[in-house]
Amino acid sequence: MAEYRAPVTDMTFILQHLVGMDKIAELPGYEEASADMVAAILEEASKLSGEVISPLNIVGDQNGVALDEKGQVVTPAGFKEAYQQYAEGGWGSLPFDPEFGGQGMPQVLAANVMEMWQSANISWGLCPLLSQGAIEALESSGSDELKQRYIPKLVSGEWTATMNLTEPQAGSDLAALRSRAEPEGDHYRIKGQKIFITWGEHDMAENIIHLVLARLPNAPAGVRGISLFIVPKFLVNEDGSLGGLNDCGAVSLEHKLGIHASPTCVMSFGDNAGAIGYLVGEEHKGLACMFTMMNNARLGVGLQGVAVSERAYQLAVDYARDRVQSPAPGCKESAAIIRHPDVRRMLMTMRTLTEAGRALAYAAYGSLDHQLRGEDSALHQARVSLLTPIVKGWCTETAQEVTGLGVQVHGGMGFIEETGAAQHYRDARILTIYEGTSGIQAQDLVGRKTLFDKGEAMDALLAEMLDCVEVAQQGSDRLQAISGSLLSAIEVLGQTQRYLLKASAADINLAGSLAFNYMMLAGTVCGGWQMLKAAQAAENLLSTEDADVNFCHAKLISAEFYMDQILPRYLGYAGAAVSGSESIMQLDEDLF
Ligand SMILES: Cc1cc2nc3c(=O)[nH]c(=O)nc-3n(C[C@H](O)[C@H](O)[C@H](O)COP(=O)(O)OP(=O)(O)OC[C@H]3O[C@@H](n4cnc5c(N)ncnc54)[C@H](O)[C@@H]3O)c2cc1C
């Protein structure tokens, strides 16, 4: 089985021509992100991901993780060494503040690199993904003391971090959280059980920093009564050295459908005197602090959708080139299945959903860079906020389709584990569930991101997409054709949004009923927008001397395929969305 080959050409193209990396490199603090530096970083990351992390993917799937009698998680052979290489290479420090040992590189560049780790090995990649989210949460909400004590070690990768929200009775509904925190001097004593904690315990780093949501004794009920705490596995002395073991740890590991090498832990806090924890941010405002981490992780999980799609696509193409079955149209002899139109349909679907998802995810990260460092921060903040549930929801839903097609291209061998296609399918399945299910992302898009601002952020996005179509309509015949159907799709997205704004007040079930289709509609249309931008850039490049002709040619064809075969889905999503809630809700509960 071939190892992962990072799509550096596509990544670089998106960075340069769609996201506007040259403008991002002009933002204060990002001066180091020159084109040469970006190319060098992508090149080195592609080596580490392809040569070191990717070969561990199948090993991890087959061997999984184990909890030993001392309560320590043993990771699969090679995982720890790969993590050391990652930490020693400074990869965990890429987007962080130099004050804490970071390299101060743009978020969008760090996202490119993160995509590579996730493509190479989602199970392994989850560990650095969570650390990055925790660093952001601490940077934005931690006291100076907490920042100085914890961030540098997380940035250097010597320590890793986790996110502890879920409890047996509190999954999507965090208001039901029961873990408790009692104040005691300069710290708190945490007691409670958390479930499903990714990389909650492991042997890859010397300390694990748990970010834990819990309630203080006087906390109001609901989400307004939740506080956030840092609970280190090993306590940290004044001088930064490690102290004794804290009163917390993994009590068991879950057996899962996929991501076998990512330890999913049941964590117990405070079986004895109570785990020592330190408040992050203000009392009762923990959820807002945790949202920094959750938003980071939501975009990261969307990126995982793109990453596993890319991996499944590469595997399927390799197989389709080798597997010979039946004469293809126009041939007398049996041909490689890549020549059959239906296999082409599958491969092109996989390819274009991945390319569109990648471009959309990077657009969100690019906006994040402008939000963090640019002048029109509020505008970009609204854009990132709007795109986050779309990237998380749509890119992970399409990953189900893409990895499913990856199995299908392999025929019966796709169902057999040794090809690896099944692993991608199984690994991808969690992506629409953790970090907020697709249903929760869709509700976020409808509620907080559309109804709350009366559609303002979506209107700005619609206007930008329409501008893009208008420019294309004045371009070549080919661009006019590519952009033709996108115009209608953008208009229909606008109409659906207006229907939502108008009709939801009169029907309490409407928002929840149309949310998923609205999210998929938005993702499909935004994907089309990115593919149009890619086609415009590819055509421009083709008129220059040093263009990569094959790449640009393929990009234009990808855009044409997307508009012909993927974009028409907008009619189905919009049609379902504006059908309202009646047929969804009218069947009596007893009749199910
Ligand atoms: C492998 C794995 C790793 C995980 N890692 C972590 C981690 O590191 N840290 C952590 O804290 N958690 C983690 N989780 C937990 C994960 O985030 C939750 O499983 C997820 O948020 C869903 O919660 P739940 O499982 O309780 O499902 P439920 O909330 O019970 O949802 C069940 C179904 O009901 C739907 N639903 C629920 N509420 C609503 C609503 N209001 N409106 C519409 N639909 C609704 C959901 O969409 C879903 O389809 C992990 C889970 C797994 C399986």
Side-chain angles (χ1 to χ4, degrees), residues 163-166 171-172 196-198 256 259 264 430 433-435 437 440 443:
M163 184 165 88
N164 289 252
L165 289 75
T166 309
S172 303
F196 297 154
I197 304 309
T198 300
K256 313 192 290 292
I259 56 167
T264 304
I430 186 59
I433 298 172
Y434 62 21
E435 273 316 310
T437 60
I440 297 298
Q443 286 205 10

Side-chain angles (χ1 to χ4, degrees), residues 99-150:
E99 187 195 335
F100 299 114
Q103 298 181 51
M105 285 290 159
Q107 298 284 338
V108 69
L109 179 60
N112 275 233
V113 170
M114 185 56 78
E115 185 196 321
M116 293 189 200
W117 314 143
Q118 306 304 328
S119 272
N121 191 330
I122 286 197
S123 286
W124 183 93
L126 271 161
C127 190
L129 184 69
L130 282 159
S131 294
Q132 302 238 321
I135 296 168
E136 273 196 19
L138 287 175
E139 273 189 341
S140 67
S141 307
S143 64
D144 284 345
E145 196 194 334
L146 287 182
K147 285 182 189 170
Q148 295 301 339
R149 188 167 294 189
Y150 292 96

Side-chain angles (χ1 to χ4, degrees), residues 532-575:
L532 174 60
K533 286 178 73 167
Q536 287 170 312
E539 208 183 66
N540 282 342
L541 277 174
L542 277 173
S543 61
T544 63
E545 270 182 7
D546 51 356
D548 179 341
V549 175
N550 283 341
F551 175 84
C552 293
H553 178 61
K555 206 44 139 176
L556 279 154
I557 292 173
S558 283
E560 283 165 342
F561 178 89
Y562 189 97
M563 301 306 175
D564 287 351
Q565 300 289 330
I566 308 287
L567 188 68
R569 296 176 185 187
Y570 81 87
L571 289 169
Y573 292 129

Side-chain angles (χ1 to χ4, degrees), residues 36-57:
D36 287 347
M37 176 62 90
V38 169
I41 287 174
L42 294 184
E43 179 63 28
E44 286 307 309
S46 78
K47 282 189 205 151
L48 185 64
S49 57
E51 293 167 16
V52 178
I53 303 169
S54 164
L56 303 174
N57 196 37

Side-chain angles (χ1 to χ4, degrees), residues 53-320:
I53 303 169
S54 164
L56 303 174
N57 196 37
I58 202 154
V59 182
D61 185 53
Q62 288 170 353
N63 299 344
V65 280
L67 190 66
D68 69 15
E69 62 286 352
K70 290 189 214 133
Q72 282 175 355
V73 167
V74 184
T75 50
F79 267 51
K80 188 174 177 179
E81 292 73 18
Y83 183 79
Q84 272 163 0
Q85 242 178 291
Y86 163 89
E88 280 161 17
W91 290 107
S93 66
L94 219 50
F96 298 112
D97 195 331
E99 187 195 335
F100 299 114
Q103 298 181 51
M105 285 290 159
Q107 298 284 338
V108 69
L109 179 60
N112 275 233
V113 170
M114 185 56 78
E115 185 196 321
M116 293 189 200
W117 314 143
Q118 306 304 328
S119 272
N121 191 330
I122 286 197
S123 286
W124 183 93
L126 271 161
C127 190
L129 184 69
L130 282 159
S131 294
Q132 302 238 321
I135 296 168
E136 273 196 19
L138 287 175
E139 273 189 341
S140 67
S141 307
S143 64
D144 284 345
E145 196 194 334
L146 287 182
K147 285 182 189 170
Q148 295 301 339
R149 188 167 294 189
Y150 292 96
I151 296 180
K153 293 280 189 184
L154 289 169
V155 165
S156 69
E158 286 162 88
W159 300 349
T160 68
T162 68
M163 184 165 88
N164 289 252
L165 289 75
T166 309
E167 297 176 9
Q169 77 296 344
S172 303
D173 182 12
L174 292 173
L177 261 171
R178 287 192 200 134
S179 290
R180 312 216 40 97
E182 298 271 351
E184 183 186 88
D186 69 342
H187 57 261
Y188 294 78
R189 290 278 179 179
I190 316 287
K191 293 194 175 197
Q193 192 188 64
K194 297 284 178 181
I195 59 167
F196 297 154
I197 304 309
T198 300
W199 287 96
E201 166 56 33
H202 62 85
D203 57 4
M204 300 206 301
E206 63 181 21
N207 203 4
I208 304 173
I209 308 307
H210 305 293
L211 288 188
V212 183
L213 288 180
R215 284 183 188 287
L216 291 162
N218 60 345
V223 287
R224 289 181 205 286
I226 298 172
S227 305
L228 178 64
F229 301 88
I230 275 196
V231 182
K233 173 180 166 183
F234 286 101
L235 296 167
V236 182
N237 298 322
E238 290 279 313
D239 64 358
S241 62
L242 291 187
L245 253 184
N246 205 350
D247 183 10
C248 61
V251 290
S252 64
L253 298 184
E254 304 294 353
H255 297 279
K256 313 192 290 292
L257 176 67
I259 56 167
H260 290 158
S262 162
T264 304
C265 307
V266 175
M267 298 291 296
S268 188
F269 292 88
D271 281 349
N272 299 307
I276 292 180
Y278 304 92
L279 184 70
V280 180
E282 290 176 47
E283 289 186 351
H284 314 316
K285 302 244 170 95
L287 204 58
C289 309
M290 192 58 125
F291 253 107
T292 310
M293 183 165 188
M294 281 156 72
N295 281 332
N296 177 299
R298 284 178 174 181
L299 277 182
V301 174
L303 204 57
Q304 286 189 313
V306 175
V308 72
S309 297
E310 173 68 37
R311 191 79 195 266
Y313 167 71
Q314 291 186 7
L315 198 66
V317 170
D318 290 349
Y319 188 79

